[in-house]
Amino acid sequence: MPSAVATHSHRPTTKVLPKSFKSKKATKGALRDQAKGKVPNEKGQRKTPHQQVMSKFDRRNQAKQRQLAKHKEHQKETSVFTGRDGAPRVVAVVPLCADVDVSEAIKSLNNSLDIESEVPETSFRVSVDRFKQKLQYVPVKRDLTASMDAARIADYVLFVLSSEVEVDPLGELIIRSIENQGMSTLFTAVQNLDKIQPAKARPDVVKSLASFMTHFHPGQEKIYNLDSRQESSNLMRSLCTTTPKGINWRDQRSWMLVEEVQWPSTENESTVLTGVVRGKGLKADRLVHVGDWGTFQIEKITAAPLPTKKRKDDAMAVEETEAENVLEVPDEDQDDLAELAPEEVMMGDAEMEGNMEEPTKQKGVLLDDHHYFSEDEPEVYAPPKKLPKGTSSYQAAWYLDDVSDSESELDDQEMEDAQDEHLPAAPEDGMEGIAHREPTEAAMSEYPQSEMFVEPNEEDDAAQLEAYRSRKRDEAEDDKEFPDEIELHPNVLARERLAKYRGLKSLRTSPWNTDEDRPYQPEEWSRLLQISDYQSSRNRSMREALVGGVVPGTRVHVHLRGVPRDLEKSYSPSRPVTLFSLLRHENKKTSLNFDITHKEDYEKSIKAKEELIVQCGPRRFVVNPLFSLSGNTENDVHKYCRYLHPGQSAIATFMGPITWGAVPTLFFKRTIPEEGKEGSSLPLQLVATGTARAPSTARVVAKRVILTGHPYHIHKKVVTIRYMFFNREDVEWFKALPLWTKRGRAGYIKEALGTHGYFKANFDGRINPQDAVGVSLYKRVWPRNAVPFTGPLLKEGVSESQNDAMDEDIQ
């Protein structure tokens, strides 16, 4: 019978079981069987109010509490603007086109609310009675420096476009610079739109301008027409009612727009700056930085209320006059203007150095922390001291050893390196980049010399060397194709030319002997600010600014000491002057590190140690930065980059005063305008942007040079190398260095051959005849000092020629 046919069978019994009793309350055993062993523990259950289903009344109450908390926060943010003596809302009016009239733009805004006021060239106040607010306009000309200074202290930035003239390269530079330095709430308006004929073409002009602005600021979809009274009044409503979003780094400090400057009549008197305190409370103990003038100490802070009128019985208007009201004076905790720590007088170390024996003559290159082939070398490593001997209490202030504060309310994640992922290791980096040994190969073996070595003719050898090197030319392009490679002249001794260089088995893990660097370090290096725990020191300095000082919103006179008299000649009331209070230690110099990213619209590579103009927060410097790879390494050694190519990111390092926090940084470069190219007509360009990172004097920037050789004869794993060295003594000096090939093979120098620098080497595998053999050498490069920048950023002139010594890659 086929298996697919089903068979019939009867039930085994006729007994029918009754249905089980269904009770509303199940027994413990039934619940246990139903859960199949997954019974939750009563002690571990979460029974918070947020995890339970709330009633309608509870949900309404919770929504009401959130609404009240949000309203309270909004009142706190805008409390500085409320009241009769409230601070005015600062509006920076920035023209982007050549035919924009800033005075007419301000008049259009005032006339929309029937406000009668003159429009001077300096900053001025107007009272908006309809919204019970006060506005302070800061009109600026088409000047890069003035526009950036005004936007830096503005609650609102108003870009004014033209309906007839396009934005030129200067206008685009102003937009990019203000955007990258950080700005508060932005509005955009257009002028002379009624001149466009026919009238139906005006909406297209507005759409075109809106498309242009959304390219830089995607949120700027609304373009206000200043020729329309209705749109101008809507813009005034937004200026008077919108809460400014502020700038993070600015709100962590106290700042002020200087309204008036009183110059001293005698040398003993102080210079008085008048303005309204904003941000955090202004403290007399902290230093202040004023525009491009510099950093000064505060002598005292006095109240400067605006004159008010009071009605008497005879209906005569009498102005109130009050005596000088001193709000704050400095005490013994006032910061000084010293940028470097005092010179250390360490008698114990000096006596110890006098009794030291002369160092023995080394016989080989330094590899990691050892001089190989030197018999009587001491191998005891002395750990670095936290404080030098004889350090006084004043000198100890330059060594910050704050304990890590894990419970800080400040965000510690802002300073973490965004590029923690390491780049893949290359063979020239050391052990990590070496290719794994082939599984079929046996262990290293020694091979006898396969044939007698015949030393070549000098003329033939020189001709072959020239032909071998003629394939590699150019400088910036060579750095992309052959990074760090150098070529030695046959008549130059490598051990003298590369005397400062050393070898490393691994760039990321090998220890770096700092004792070898001390003879070459800058004179002021030991006097820089030492920071052991950056996050804790930063949090402590920022917490000090949260309490105390003159209350924000108060109009004050700030009396400054030591302001140079010659600044009175260069002072112009039409240019905005800003005052920023520095946090504790922010005037002390240290080794600064910045994330730097090459701007896409600048097509050329930026050479390291090239002169750049840097703006970090309220200060500007002229620097010659070092570029190095980012990331965290075990030994805190980072490879120096000779160029920053388009699209690349790196760490820029130079010596300058510290700035706490992740402050945006701008890098400008003076250029020579090239004819026939659009967008290159300006003598100054924004070439890179960045962010301040944790400074460190222990971070080693190591310049690498690579000496390459050519396989002359290959016998299994034994290879004869040429063109790397040119005399026998150099081979013996660098004999301890590990060799590598570009295809990942590793080896070592076995013995020198002849007198022309040929040598025999053993490798861990067979190498290709077309492969190149290299050896890596490193030396520490030191950051250069930053110089304060004064004057306008953009001026006529060409870039200064760079010093030839600055461009040297070896010496």
Side-chain angles (χ1 to χ4, degrees):
M1 177 178 278
S3 60
V5 179
T7 59
H8 176 73
S9 64
H10 292 281
R11 288 184 296 176
T13 179
T14 59
K15 185 177 180 180
V16 179
L17 296 176
K19 293 182 179 180
S20 60
F21 177 71
K22 298 180 180 179
S23 65
K24 292 184 179 180
K25 296 187 178 183
T27 62
K28 294 181 180 179
L31 290 176
R32 202 163 39 242
D33 295 340
Q34 184 179 359
K36 298 180 180 180
K38 300 178 180 179
V39 179
N41 187 6
E42 293 292 333
K43 294 181 179 180
Q45 286 184 347
R46 296 181 178 179
K47 294 184 177 181
T48 60
H50 297 284
Q51 294 174 334
Q52 296 179 355
V53 179
M54 293 184 296
S55 64
K56 187 175 182 181
F57 177 79
D58 292 336
R59 292 196 302 270
R60 282 183 176 178
N61 185 53
Q62 192 180 58
K64 184 178 180 181
Q65 296 296 328
R66 283 198 300 262
Q67 185 178 7
L68 291 175
K70 188 174 181 180
H71 180 66
K72 187 176 181 181
E73 182 181 359
H74 174 73
Q75 283 186 329
K76 183 179 179 181
E77 292 176 352
T78 58
S79 60
V80 70
F81 304 124
T82 58
R84 187 185 65 174
D85 298 329
R89 297 172 182 255
V90 182
V91 182
V93 185
V94 181
L96 298 180
C97 302
D99 65 337
V100 169
D101 190 346
V102 176
S103 300
E104 290 297 326
I106 297 176
K107 287 181 181 179
S108 300
L109 294 175
N110 291 340
N111 293 336
S112 65
L113 297 181
D114 298 329
I115 300 174
E116 296 182 358
S117 174
E118 296 182 357
V119 183
E121 294 183 355
T122 60
S123 62
F124 65 99
R125 294 189 182 198
V126 295
S127 180
V128 185
D129 296 333
R130 179 181 298 184
F131 303 109
K132 299 180 179 180
Q133 293 291 325
K134 294 179 287 294
L135 296 181
Q136 184 170 6
Y137 293 106
V138 185
V140 296
K141 300 178 181 178
R142 267 174 45 93
D143 180 70
L144 177 62
T145 308
S147 301
M148 293 178 66
D149 290 343
R152 202 160 47 182
I153 45 84
D155 297 309
Y156 308 95
V157 178
L158 177 61
F159 284 156
V160 184
L161 299 170
S162 173
S163 60
E164 299 175 331
V165 180
E166 295 183 352
V167 179
D168 56 358
L170 176 58
E172 293 188 9
L173 180 61
I174 293 175
I175 295 176
R176 295 183 187 275
S177 301
I178 293 178
E179 174 189 10
N180 286 282
Q181 78 171 358
M183 67 176 176
S184 189
T185 307
L186 174 66
F187 295 101
T188 309
V190 60
Q191 202 174 40
N192 300 328
L193 188 61
D194 290 348
K195 295 183 179 179
I196 300 297
Q197 296 295 336
K200 61 181 181 180
R202 295 170 187 171
D204 295 334
V205 174
V206 175
K207 288 182 181 180
S208 176
L209 295 176
S211 175
F212 172 80
M213 288 305 301
T214 52
H215 173 71
F216 299 97
H217 302 279
Q220 286 296 302
E221 298 178 354
K222 173 65 177 175
I223 305 294
Y224 293 91
N225 180 14
L226 295 181
D227 295 339
S228 169
R229 182 183 178 90
Q230 180 64 39
E231 292 197 20
S232 297
S233 62
N234 291 340
L235 178 56
M236 290 290 287
R237 178 186 297 273
S238 299
L239 293 175
C240 294
T241 57
T242 305
T243 303
K245 64 179 184 179
I247 305 173
N248 187 29
W249 67 266
R250 183 186 71 180
D251 295 338
Q252 294 171 349
R253 297 159 174 82
S254 178
W255 53 276
M256 185 177 76
L257 171 63
V258 178
E259 303 174 4
E260 183 183 356
V261 180
Q262 299 178 15
W263 298 98
S265 56
T266 62
E267 295 182 358
N268 297 329
E269 295 182 1
S270 58
T271 305
V272 182
L273 306 183
T274 305
V276 178
V277 178
R278 299 291 305 277
K280 298 293 185 291
L282 181 60
K283 297 183 178 181
D285 290 336
R286 302 285 82 87
L287 301 175
V288 293
H289 185 85
V290 183
D292 293 336
W293 297 3
T295 304
F296 308 99
Q297 287 181 319
I298 296 179
E299 181 177 320
K300 60 181 177 179
I301 302 175
T302 60
L306 290 173
T308 57
K309 295 183 178 180
K310 182 163 109 177
R311 289 283 177 181
K312 285 193 174 183
D313 296 336
D314 55 354
M316 294 291 294
V318 179
E319 292 187 358
E320 294 182 353
T321 58
E322 297 181 358
E324 184 181 61
N325 182 14
V326 179
L327 299 179
E328 188 161 332
V329 293
D331 53 18
E332 65 275 0
D333 192 37
Q334 186 179 22
D335 296 337
D336 57 10
L337 295 173
E339 296 180 345
L340 297 172
E343 296 184 3
E344 300 169 351
V345 182
M346 300 187 302
M347 299 301 295
D349 288 356
E351 293 175 359
M352 183 181 65
E353 292 177 1
N355 297 330
M356 287 179 59
E357 298 179 358
E358 294 184 1
T360 58
K361 186 175 181 181
Q362 308 298 345
K363 298 182 179 180
V365 68
L366 177 66
L367 178 60
D368 289 353
D369 54 351
H370 296 285
H371 278 280
Y372 285 80
F373 313 117
S374 301
E375 289 80 12
D376 301 329
E377 177 195 359
E379 297 185 358
V380 180
Y381 175 72
K385 301 176 182 178
K386 290 187 176 180
L387 287 176
K389 292 183 179 180
T391 303
S392 64
S393 59
Y394 177 74
Q395 294 169 346
W398 292 81
Y399 296 86
L400 304 185
D401 53 353
D402 293 307
V403 182
S404 179
D405 185 7
S406 59
E407 299 181 357
S408 173
E409 298 178 359
L410 298 175
D411 187 11
D412 291 339
Q413 299 296 326
E414 65 179 8
M415 297 302 295
E416 289 185 357
D417 198 346
Q419 298 179 354
D420 271 345
E421 299 84 4
H422 295 292
L423 297 175
E428 56 267 25
D429 292 336
M431 296 180 294
E432 294 89 349
I434 300 301
H436 297 288
R437 185 173 299 178
E438 300 172 6
T440 58
E441 292 182 344
M444 294 286 291
S445 59
E446 296 290 337
Y447 292 91
Q449 189 167 340
S450 58
E451 60 184 27
M452 183 179 64
F453 175 73
V454 179
E455 193 163 344
N457 186 10
E458 293 187 4
E459 296 181 359
D460 296 342
D461 193 40
Q464 294 175 9
L465 174 63
E466 182 64 26
Y468 173 72
R469 289 182 170 178
S470 62
R471 297 176 298 174
K472 299 183 293 183
R473 288 291 178 265
D474 228 300
E475 190 172 350
E477 295 299 326
D478 273 1
D479 187 70
K480 297 179 182 179
E481 189 174 359
F482 310 103
D484 305 323
E485 291 189 20
I486 65 168
E487 296 175 349
L488 295 176
H489 194 274
N491 298 329
V492 176
L493 298 179
R495 60 185 181 277
E496 295 181 1
R497 181 81 178 272
L498 305 175
K500 299 179 182 179
Y501 287 80
R502 69 184 75 183
L504 292 178
K505 293 180 181 178
S506 171
L507 178 62
R508 299 178 180 177
T509 60
S510 293
W512 186 274
N513 190 350
T514 56
D515 293 338
E516 298 283 337
D517 301 327
R518 288 175 183 169
Y520 310 110
Q521 71 183 18
E523 296 180 359
E524 64 270 20
W525 187 259
S526 60
R527 302 172 59 192
L528 297 179
L529 181 67
Q530 309 289 331
I531 306 173
S532 60
D533 189 341
Y534 174 78
Q535 289 185 352
S536 180
S537 301
R538 179 202 64 190
N539 295 345
R540 181 181 177 184
S541 298
M542 290 186 175
R543 278 198 300 266
E544 288 182 352
L546 296 177
V547 294
V550 179
V551 179
T554 308
R555 192 171 187 269
V556 296
H557 294 306
V558 181
H559 299 253
L560 301 181
R561 301 174 184 165
V563 179
R565 296 291 300 273
D566 54 353
L567 291 175
E568 184 177 1
K569 301 177 182 177
S570 60
Y571 170 69
S572 175
S574 61
R575 302 177 65 89
V577 178
T578 61
L579 181 145
F580 281 85
S581 178
L582 302 181
L583 301 177
R584 188 184 290 271
H585 305 301
E586 277 196 331
N587 192 49
K588 298 178 180 178
K589 284 189 176 182
T590 186
S591 179
L592 305 179
N593 298 315
F594 295 86
D595 279 338
I596 181 172
T597 303
H598 195 290
K599 292 288 289 183
E600 297 178 355
D601 50 349
Y602 184 68
E603 301 177 354
K604 297 182 180 180
S605 300
I606 307 173
K607 191 171 184 179
K609 303 179 186 177
E610 197 171 27
E611 184 179 282
L612 300 177
I613 300 174
V614 174
Q615 174 177 305
C616 179
R619 296 180 285 202
R620 298 187 182 100
F621 306 100
V622 179
V623 300
N624 301 96
L626 304 179
F627 299 145
S628 59
L629 296 180
S630 60
N632 297 323
T633 59
E634 183 178 336
N635 55 1
D636 206 8
V637 177
H638 307 267
K639 193 185 83 67
Y640 168 80
C641 302
R642 289 177 170 83
Y643 286 90
L644 184 64
H645 299 291
Q648 290 184 350
S649 298
I651 299 293
T653 306
F654 56 88
M655 289 189 295
I658 186 175
T659 302
W660 298 112
V663 180
T665 309
L666 283 70
F667 296 84
F668 296 94
K669 179 183 176 183
R670 298 203 182 278
T671 58
I672 301 177
E674 298 181 10
E675 298 181 358
K677 287 189 177 182
E678 296 182 358
S680 61
S681 58
L682 296 176
L684 183 82
Q685 292 195 23
L686 179 64
V687 297
T689 57
T691 307
R693 292 300 177 190
S696 174
T697 55
R699 190 178 190 272
V700 177
V701 180
K703 176 187 281 188
R704 177 169 65 193
V705 297
I706 296 175
L707 300 178
T708 56
H710 179 257
Y712 180 61
H713 185 272
I714 302 175
H715 178 68
K716 296 184 179 179
K717 299 179 183 178
V718 181
V719 184
T720 301
I721 309 296
R722 64 174 179 175
Y723 299 157
M724 183 179 292
F725 305 106
F726 298 98
N727 58 76
R728 189 182 185 92
E729 292 76 12
D730 287 343
V731 178
E732 296 293 342
W733 178 264
F734 295 102
K735 191 175 182 180
L737 297 179
L739 301 177
W740 51 266
T741 69
K742 293 193 174 182
R743 301 183 184 226
R745 300 263 67 93
Y748 61 92
I749 298 177
K750 183 180 179 183
E751 61 177 342
L753 302 175
T755 60
H756 288 185
Y758 287 56
F759 60 89
K760 187 182 294 185
N762 277 19
F763 286 88
D764 60 355
R766 294 178 181 270
I767 71 171
N768 192 296
Q770 302 299 322
D771 207 349
V773 181
V775 63
S776 300
L777 290 163
Y778 301 89
K779 81 164 182 179
R780 184 173 185 176
V781 288
W782 303 92
R784 302 193 177 189
N785 202 2
V787 180
F789 177 83
T790 57
L793 283 170
L794 200 56
K795 61 182 181 180
E796 297 294 332
V798 297
S799 61
E800 298 178 358
S801 60
Q802 302 295 324
N803 191 353
D804 294 339
M806 183 193 311
D807 298 338
E808 288 291 336
D809 285 338
I810 304 303
Q811 299 301 328

